[in-house]
Amino acid sequence: MTRRTFEMSCSLALMCCLAGLILTGCHHTEKFSEGDMVSDFIPRELQKQPIPEYVIEPPDILLVDAVSVIPKPPYRVAPGDILLARVANAFEADPIAGAFPVEPDGTINLGASYGSISVAGKTIPEARTVVVEALGKIIKEPKVFLALGQSRAMQQIRGQHLVTPDGYVRLGLYGAAKVVGMTIPEAKKAIEAQLGQYLQEPEISLDVLAYNSKLYYVIFDGGGNGQTILRLPITGNDTVLDAIAQAGGLTSVSAQQIWVARPSPAGACCDQILPVDWCAITTRGRTATNYQLLPGDRIFVKADPLITTDTRITRVLAPIERLLGFTLLGTSTFQAVRNIGNNNGGNNNNGNNNNNNNGFGR
């Protein structure tokens, strides 16, 4: 095979590959059957509807506040509690009146003049007796008022609580309450029931601080170079335009062919596909296809067909280019070696001729 024949064969092969790519999908456009379309009323930008009542799932974060947290009697003082103390006839220069935390060692510090008194493990009346006995060594007939200002229950219950992967909310010393799959009122009752094992008719307020479990997805087609997927939290007010804005807008390879794929129930006869007219939404302010998003929706942004075609052609041609490069390199190397050999042979002939001429001259 001559070099010209080889080059013609390679060119023909490249043309066949290119034609095959063009005919098999370079100009493919997504089409949906009538069964794929959703015919029921669909909330849009100017016709939004409240999303279904929120159901708690991991990894939501709940905000709990204690409205009424009263320990069941007999309550025993423990580190972390706060006691309210007042002594009517304490020293004027060092009065005893206010809230005194129970230290980790189980004592309360009443001031420099009185020192610390151990009260851990005692009921409130027992703790008052201990305080009276301790102050009686310093003050004559001390008149002591002592009460529980805040139990450690408040510190364990109040604040942010993460819904763990097993669906529970941890309440410290008061165990855990299962809240997965519940609405906020149902979760409130479940937490209060758990606290009721330790507290007297507990009452809490409950809200969701971070809605982490309800998401929608924006998927950007990379034009033959994979896909980029963004997961964004649902707020209940999101539209397609909001989603694309949250994702940073269309990419440099994106076409204006966009649709919303809505999750279908198991065994559904068709997919729920909502085509989006991006040009109408952005340039003409039309809201017909600016759908309100629901949890689990997938917004798919297709890549420009020309970018996809270019990527496919590059993937097909790259190995051929490398093969041709190796072939041409081998051919060039062979030609260079042959030329060097010819040059050396010519030099030897010239040398012999010179020698003969020199001999005839003598």
Side-chain angles (χ1 to χ4, degrees), residues 84-88 96-98 100 143-146:
L84 299 178
R86 185 175 70 251
V87 179
I96 301 175
F100 297 88
K143 298 177 181 180
V144 177
F145 166 80
L146 189 69

PDB file of all heavy atoms in Angstrom, residues 84-88 96-98 100 143-146:
ATOM      1  N   LEU A  84     -32.404  28.814  94.071  1.00  0.00           N
ATOM      2  CA  LEU A  84     -32.678  30.178  94.507  1.00  0.00           C
ATOM      3  C   LEU A  84     -32.551  30.216  96.030  1.00  0.00           C
ATOM      4  O   LEU A  84     -33.224  29.443  96.745  1.00  0.00           O
ATOM      5  CB  LEU A  84     -34.085  30.608  94.089  1.00  0.00           C
ATOM      6  CG  LEU A  84     -34.360  30.628  92.585  1.00  0.00           C
ATOM      7  CD1 LEU A  84     -35.817  31.017  92.319  1.00  0.00           C
ATOM      8  CD2 LEU A  84     -33.422  31.590  91.893  1.00  0.00           C
ATOM      9  N   ALA A  85     -31.692  31.069  96.553  1.00  0.00           N
ATOM     10  CA  ALA A  85     -31.443  31.142  98.001  1.00  0.00           C
ATOM     11  C   ALA A  85     -31.519  32.590  98.463  1.00  0.00           C
ATOM     12  O   ALA A  85     -31.078  33.509  97.762  1.00  0.00           O
ATOM     13  CB  ALA A  85     -30.081  30.539  98.333  1.00  0.00           C
ATOM     14  N   ARG A  86     -32.090  32.763  99.651  1.00  0.00           N
ATOM     15  CA  ARG A  86     -32.125  34.077 100.290  1.00  0.00           C
ATOM     16  C   ARG A  86     -32.065  33.891 101.805  1.00  0.00           C
ATOM     17  O   ARG A  86     -32.806  33.069 102.350  1.00  0.00           O
ATOM     18  CB  ARG A  86     -33.384  34.838  99.901  1.00  0.00           C
ATOM     19  CG  ARG A  86     -33.414  36.264 100.455  1.00  0.00           C
ATOM     20  CD  ARG A  86     -34.616  37.064  99.975  1.00  0.00           C
ATOM     21  NE  ARG A  86     -35.849  36.570 100.583  1.00  0.00           N
ATOM     22  CZ  ARG A  86     -36.794  35.909  99.947  1.00  0.00           C
ATOM     23  NH1 ARG A  86     -36.629  35.629  98.646  1.00  0.00           N
ATOM     24  NH2 ARG A  86     -37.882  35.495 100.572  1.00  0.00           N
ATOM     25  N   VAL A  87     -31.167  34.623 102.426  1.00  0.00           N
ATOM     26  CA  VAL A  87     -31.002  34.566 103.882  1.00  0.00           C
ATOM     27  C   VAL A  87     -31.293  35.961 104.414  1.00  0.00           C
ATOM     28  O   VAL A  87     -30.577  36.924 104.113  1.00  0.00           O
ATOM     29  CB  VAL A  87     -29.583  34.109 104.277  1.00  0.00           C
ATOM     30  CG1 VAL A  87     -29.440  34.094 105.793  1.00  0.00           C
ATOM     31  CG2 VAL A  87     -29.296  32.732 103.692  1.00  0.00           C
ATOM     32  N   ALA A  88     -32.347  36.063 105.213  1.00  0.00           N
ATOM     33  CA  ALA A  88     -32.834  37.376 105.661  1.00  0.00           C
ATOM     34  C   ALA A  88     -31.843  38.098 106.560  1.00  0.00           C
ATOM     35  O   ALA A  88     -31.697  39.323 106.491  1.00  0.00           O
ATOM     36  CB  ALA A  88     -34.182  37.221 106.365  1.00  0.00           C
ATOM     37  N   ILE A  96     -26.843  37.232 101.051  1.00  0.00           N
ATOM     38  CA  ILE A  96     -27.134  36.000 100.314  1.00  0.00           C
ATOM     39  C   ILE A  96     -28.519  36.150  99.699  1.00  0.00           C
ATOM     40  O   ILE A  96     -29.537  36.082 100.401  1.00  0.00           O
ATOM     41  CB  ILE A  96     -27.082  34.765 101.226  1.00  0.00           C
ATOM     42  CG1 ILE A  96     -25.710  34.613 101.870  1.00  0.00           C
ATOM     43  CG2 ILE A  96     -27.445  33.506 100.446  1.00  0.00           C
ATOM     44  CD1 ILE A  96     -25.619  33.481 102.869  1.00  0.00           C
ATOM     45  N   ALA A  97     -28.557  36.389  98.426  1.00  0.00           N
ATOM     46  CA  ALA A  97     -29.826  36.540  97.702  1.00  0.00           C
ATOM     47  C   ALA A  97     -29.549  36.404  96.216  1.00  0.00           C
ATOM     48  O   ALA A  97     -28.747  37.153  95.653  1.00  0.00           O
ATOM     49  CB  ALA A  97     -30.472  37.890  97.999  1.00  0.00           C
ATOM     50  N   GLY A  98     -30.182  35.408  95.576  1.00  0.00           N
ATOM     51  CA  GLY A  98     -29.989  35.223  94.140  1.00  0.00           C
ATOM     52  C   GLY A  98     -29.980  33.761  93.735  1.00  0.00           C
ATOM     53  O   GLY A  98     -30.412  32.879  94.497  1.00  0.00           O
ATOM     54  N   PHE A 100     -27.920  30.390  92.614  1.00  0.00           N
ATOM     55  CA  PHE A 100     -26.622  29.775  92.875  1.00  0.00           C
ATOM     56  C   PHE A 100     -26.565  28.435  92.139  1.00  0.00           C
ATOM     57  O   PHE A 100     -27.338  27.516  92.442  1.00  0.00           O
ATOM     58  CB  PHE A 100     -26.423  29.566  94.377  1.00  0.00           C
ATOM     59  CG  PHE A 100     -26.400  30.841  95.164  1.00  0.00           C
ATOM     60  CD1 PHE A 100     -27.583  31.397  95.652  1.00  0.00           C
ATOM     61  CD2 PHE A 100     -25.201  31.495  95.417  1.00  0.00           C
ATOM     62  CE1 PHE A 100     -27.556  32.581  96.370  1.00  0.00           C
ATOM     63  CE2 PHE A 100     -25.175  32.677  96.138  1.00  0.00           C
ATOM     64  CZ  PHE A 100     -26.366  33.227  96.612  1.00  0.00           C
ATOM     65  N   LYS A 143     -32.186  32.704 108.841  1.00  0.00           N
ATOM     66  CA  LYS A 143     -33.509  32.528 108.256  1.00  0.00           C
ATOM     67  C   LYS A 143     -33.316  32.296 106.743  1.00  0.00           C
ATOM     68  O   LYS A 143     -33.060  33.233 105.990  1.00  0.00           O
ATOM     69  CB  LYS A 143     -34.375  33.747 108.493  1.00  0.00           C
ATOM     70  CG  LYS A 143     -34.608  34.010 109.988  1.00  0.00           C
ATOM     71  CD  LYS A 143     -35.424  35.269 110.200  1.00  0.00           C
ATOM     72  CE  LYS A 143     -35.621  35.521 111.699  1.00  0.00           C
ATOM     73  NZ  LYS A 143     -36.422  36.760 111.936  1.00  0.00           N
ATOM     74  N   VAL A 144     -33.438  31.029 106.342  1.00  0.00           N
ATOM     75  CA  VAL A 144     -33.055  30.607 104.996  1.00  0.00           C
ATOM     76  C   VAL A 144     -34.295  30.268 104.161  1.00  0.00           C
ATOM     77  O   VAL A 144     -35.184  29.540 104.629  1.00  0.00           O
ATOM     78  CB  VAL A 144     -32.115  29.390 105.050  1.00  0.00           C
ATOM     79  CG1 VAL A 144     -31.768  28.914 103.638  1.00  0.00           C
ATOM     80  CG2 VAL A 144     -30.865  29.720 105.837  1.00  0.00           C
ATOM     81  N   PHE A 145     -34.320  30.818 102.951  1.00  0.00           N
ATOM     82  CA  PHE A 145     -35.301  30.411 101.937  1.00  0.00           C
ATOM     83  C   PHE A 145     -34.521  29.725 100.820  1.00  0.00           C
ATOM     84  O   PHE A 145     -33.549  30.268 100.301  1.00  0.00           O
ATOM     85  CB  PHE A 145     -36.063  31.618 101.380  1.00  0.00           C
ATOM     86  CG  PHE A 145     -36.834  31.311 100.128  1.00  0.00           C
ATOM     87  CD1 PHE A 145     -38.071  30.685 100.204  1.00  0.00           C
ATOM     88  CD2 PHE A 145     -36.312  31.607  98.873  1.00  0.00           C
ATOM     89  CE1 PHE A 145     -38.778  30.388  99.047  1.00  0.00           C
ATOM     90  CE2 PHE A 145     -37.012  31.303  97.722  1.00  0.00           C
ATOM     91  CZ  PHE A 145     -38.251  30.694  97.814  1.00  0.00           C
ATOM     92  N   LEU A 146     -34.951  28.510 100.422  1.00  0.00           N
ATOM     93  CA  LEU A 146     -34.244  27.760  99.385  1.00  0.00           C
ATOM     94  C   LEU A 146     -35.270  27.097  98.474  1.00  0.00           C
ATOM     95  O   LEU A 146     -36.232  26.474  98.956  1.00  0.00           O
ATOM     96  CB  LEU A 146     -33.335  26.703 100.008  1.00  0.00           C
ATOM     97  CG  LEU A 146     -32.378  25.982  99.053  1.00  0.00           C
ATOM     98  CD1 LEU A 146     -31.303  26.949  98.550  1.00  0.00           C
ATOM     99  CD2 LEU A 146     -31.730  24.786  99.745  1.00  0.00           C
TER     100      LEU A 146
END
